[in-house]
Amino acid sequence: RSYFYWRLRRKLAEFDVRKQIIETAQVGRGHAVITPVAASKMIKSWFLETNGATEALWGDDKAVLSWMAQKQEDLESKIVQLTKANVTQEVFEVMTAGGNTAKIGTAGIVEGISQAVSTMSAEEQANFKEFLKATLQL
């Protein structure tokens, strides 16, 4: 009974993180696809990157749950990084597609940014402009 309790808790937690990883690829046209198997492998690789983590420990449900709890902020950070990388790739593909696709896509991106900026406070707009200047080296 205890085995099934810990197994279920681990799998539910793992499925939640896996779902978040899969959702990172669902931006824009959603060309990047992360399968559930690939997401699970990603979680396992993150686990194995931890000091003291081993293949054998990956099979220990309590240890994996404990790791997920201790590394929750790190996991969230990795998921944010994946999302950012997928958005970056999507924008890059749109803007470098060539021909009308690039022109229309670039115009759409700029228009979307313009609409978003119009909803920001003056302070947020100033911060955003500084971010753009620094990022684009203007």
Side-chain angles (χ1 to χ4, degrees), residues 25 27-33 90 93:
V27 295
R29 296 172 290 177
H31 285 303
V33 176
E90 179 71 17
E93 287 177 14

Side-chain angles (χ1 to χ4, degrees), residues 30-131:
H31 285 303
V33 176
I34 300 175
T35 66
V37 171
S40 291
K41 287 181 181 178
M42 198 175 292
I43 296 167
K44 183 178 179 180
S45 74
W46 292 343
F47 175 81
L48 293 174
E49 290 171 3
T50 307
N51 277 345
T54 62
E55 282 281 339
L57 205 52
W58 177 251
D60 182 338
D61 296 327
K62 286 182 188 177
V64 173
L65 269 170
S66 174
W67 171 80
M68 287 179 153
Q70 291 171 1
K71 299 292 185 179
Q72 183 175 359
E73 284 183 28
D74 291 342
L75 292 171
E76 288 173 4
S77 176
K78 287 179 184 288
I79 290 167
V80 167
Q81 290 171 2
L82 278 173
T83 303
K84 182 180 173 188
N86 285 323
V87 169
T88 300
Q89 184 61 36
E90 179 71 17
V91 170
F92 178 80
E93 287 177 14
V94 166
M95 293 183 73
T96 60
N100 279 341
T101 302
K103 289 177 187 174
I104 294 167
T106 300
I109 290 168
V110 171
E111 187 176 320
I113 291 171
S114 175
Q115 288 176 7
V117 168
S118 71
T119 67
M120 295 177 181
S121 68
E123 182 182 344
E124 290 171 327
Q125 286 181 8
N127 291 338
F128 181 72
K129 287 176 187 176
E130 287 303 314
F131 175 72

Side-chain angles (χ1 to χ4, degrees), residues 6-14 58-59 61 64-65:
W6 290 108
R7 188 69 174 171
L8 178 62
R9 285 201 51 201
R10 181 242 176 108
K11 288 298 180 185
L12 289 173
E14 196 175 325
W58 177 251
D61 296 327
V64 173
L65 269 170

Side-chain angles (χ1 to χ4, degrees), residues 18-27 83:
R18 187 172 79 179
K19 179 180 178 242
Q20 292 175 43
I21 291 170
I22 291 168
E23 287 173 353
T24 67
Q26 297 172 347
V27 295
T83 303

